[in-house]
Amino acid sequence: MQNESQIPIASQGASKRFATRVALFYGTLFGMTGAHLPFFTVWLKAVGIDPFWIGLITAVPPVTRFTVLPLVTGFAERHQALRGGIIVTAFATALGFFVLGTQHLPVLVFLIYALTCCLWTPMVPLTDAYALRGVKRYGLNYGPLRLWGSAAFVLGALVCGVLFDLIAARNLIWIIAGSAAIGALASLALQPLDDTRTARPGTGSASALLRDGGFLAVIVASALIQASHAAYYIFASIAWQQAGFDGLTIAVLWVLGVIAEIVLFALSPRFTLQPSMLVVIAALSAAARWAITAQDPPLAVLAIVQLAHALSFGLTQVGIMGLMLHHVPGHVMARAQGYLTACGGIVAGLASVASGTIYENWGQGIYYVMAVMAALGGLVVWLARDRLSHQPHKAASGG
């Protein structure tokens, strides 16, 4: 690894330009997600897609995360073309959503959405990789750049919530597609950073990880707890709309969870508990959150429950990353993250497909199933806590 003293120091102007452009692109990327996540399923329902197909369609993104995503990111990195990959995937995503808006047949919606997701889901890891190269080159901090993505998610959800009451639900897709188009244009402003002289990492085997019970406990627990959010991501807006909440209220409910998540991330350096205990607390919080949500609580209670997103999602992420850092050797961390993403994608995909059928028959009762999933994730870590309290790979990872 190159010593920091050997890294050329760019001018302050170049550093600021890079930071501004990356922050802008992060904003468009997650701003589009802020419009998509709460309201895409509402659009599906508005154009006549039934719950079974909604569950099947919304299972596509997690499936692409463990199938197509590694191929796209690997291809871009092998060819030293992160910026080019971002631009191509951004424009392809925008085109895909515009074409999707012209379709209403479930099969065609599924096929077009699947093709779009094959290039949409790799955008975040491509952008993260590009940003980290710039962070190293210009001596920046990653956090302030990524923060604009979270802020834009909130703004995107609020804007879409306001427009929800002004336009027909069947036109929500054009807001999502328009946001994707803005992101595509913003990608053109990203400056070239790829360096063909960059050394490639070693190619040692990481198969031993899959024989490590502690590591398997980490990825299974993460998959179960995070996938317990599947019904929430898919059907929350639909249920809230049926309960009589207007678009702005729905958006605010989503935003409350994201703001709480941001606050938790900001405070996480002060946490003193072991990562395994953080995951257990997160799992129990998720189980409680879904059990309360299943009761169709009034708006005031629902707003408080939404704040628990900081624990059910944010604390899970903090704890799992802590376990990965303590338990996985540094030289196989990238492949370990791949296994984590793949396992999460598989479980989330299955949960999304199953939730469509369960919601169609049980309605809000789907959240009891999600509560059980989260509790199982916590149980997995609790049973493996002794194994996870040791750090057998610390020496191998360089300390």
Side-chain angles (χ1 to χ4, degrees):
M1 180 176 178
Q2 189 179 15
N3 188 281
E4 289 184 5
S5 63
Q6 298 174 312
I7 300 173
I9 299 177
S11 68
Q12 186 175 4
S15 176
K16 184 175 294 186
R17 283 194 298 273
F18 173 83
T20 300
R21 294 174 184 183
V22 171
L24 174 63
F25 186 71
Y26 267 128
T28 60
L29 180 59
F30 286 95
M32 179 261 193
T33 305
H36 174 276
L37 187 57
F39 294 107
F40 180 65
T41 55
V42 175
W43 172 76
L44 290 174
K45 182 176 181 292
V47 297
I49 308 295
D50 63 44
F52 171 79
W53 276 102
I54 290 176
L56 194 61
I57 290 168
T58 52
V60 169
V63 170
T64 61
R65 290 187 188 108
F66 70 86
T67 53
V68 180
L69 186 153
L71 300 178
V72 174
T73 54
F75 179 86
E77 191 164 57
R78 284 194 302 272
H79 289 80
Q80 296 294 324
L82 293 181
R83 176 179 177 270
I86 293 170
I87 293 173
V88 170
T89 54
F91 276 91
T93 297
L95 177 62
F97 275 105
F98 274 108
V99 174
L100 187 66
T102 66
Q103 306 300 317
H104 298 155
L105 292 177
V107 174
L108 291 179
V109 170
F110 173 80
L111 292 175
I112 295 170
Y113 188 61
L115 290 174
T116 302
C117 287
C118 286
L119 291 173
W120 176 34
T121 55
M123 284 176 65
V124 170
L126 283 174
T127 306
D128 283 340
Y130 169 85
L132 289 176
R133 287 192 180 184
V135 163
K136 180 179 179 180
R137 175 173 295 187
Y138 294 112
L140 300 168
N141 291 310
Y142 174 76
L145 303 178
R146 178 59 177 79
L147 175 64
W148 292 100
S150 298
F153 179 94
V154 173
L155 181 61
L158 288 174
V159 169
C160 201
V162 171
L163 293 177
F164 179 86
D165 295 320
L166 302 177
I167 64 175
R170 63 190 302 110
N171 291 324
L172 289 171
I173 190 66
W174 304 120
I175 301 175
I176 299 171
S179 300
I182 294 173
L185 294 175
S187 71
L188 296 175
L190 297 174
Q191 56 198 73
L193 274 183
D194 297 315
D195 185 356
T196 56
R197 296 169 298 175
T198 300
R200 295 184 179 183
T203 58
S205 172
S207 59
L209 283 173
L210 298 180
R211 299 191 297 271
D212 183 338
F215 175 72
L216 293 177
V218 171
I219 64 174
V220 169
S222 174
L224 286 170
I225 301 170
Q226 299 293 34
S228 77
H229 293 72
Y232 165 66
Y233 291 146
I234 299 171
F235 295 110
S237 293
I238 292 174
W240 295 339
Q241 182 187 23
Q242 292 175 341
F245 301 156
D246 59 29
L248 183 58
T249 300
I250 293 173
V252 169
L253 287 171
W254 281 92
V255 167
L256 282 174
V258 177
I259 291 176
E261 170 194 325
I262 293 171
V263 172
L264 182 132
F265 283 144
L267 296 176
S268 61
R270 302 182 182 182
F271 296 165
T272 58
L273 291 175
Q274 290 293 321
S276 58
M277 291 308 301
L278 295 180
V279 176
V280 171
I281 293 171
L284 294 176
S285 300
R289 178 187 182 188
W290 305 138
I292 295 173
T293 303
Q295 307 299 317
D296 280 326
L299 181 59
V301 175
L302 186 60
I304 296 173
V305 171
Q306 281 299 97
L307 296 176
H309 191 71
L311 301 176
S312 67
F313 175 83
L315 192 61
T316 300
Q317 188 74 2
V318 170
I320 291 296
M321 290 302 105
L323 289 173
M324 294 285 280
L325 287 171
H326 283 84
H327 201 75
V328 177
H331 67 279
V332 293
M333 182 61 76
R335 279 163 286 182
Q337 291 283 353
Y339 294 144
L340 179 73
T341 302
C343 184
I346 292 170
V347 177
L350 292 174
S352 295
V353 173
S355 66
T357 300
I358 298 173
Y359 183 82
E360 190 171 20
N361 292 285
W362 289 1
Q364 292 291 88
I366 180 63
Y367 287 109
Y368 289 123
V369 180
M370 300 294 106
V372 171
M373 285 181 60
L376 286 176
L379 180 62
V380 168
V381 171
W382 176 258
L383 294 176
R385 67 189 184 282
D386 291 336
R387 185 189 298 267
L388 293 172
S389 66
H390 297 91
Q391 299 179 23
H393 300 304
K394 189 171 183 181
S397 62

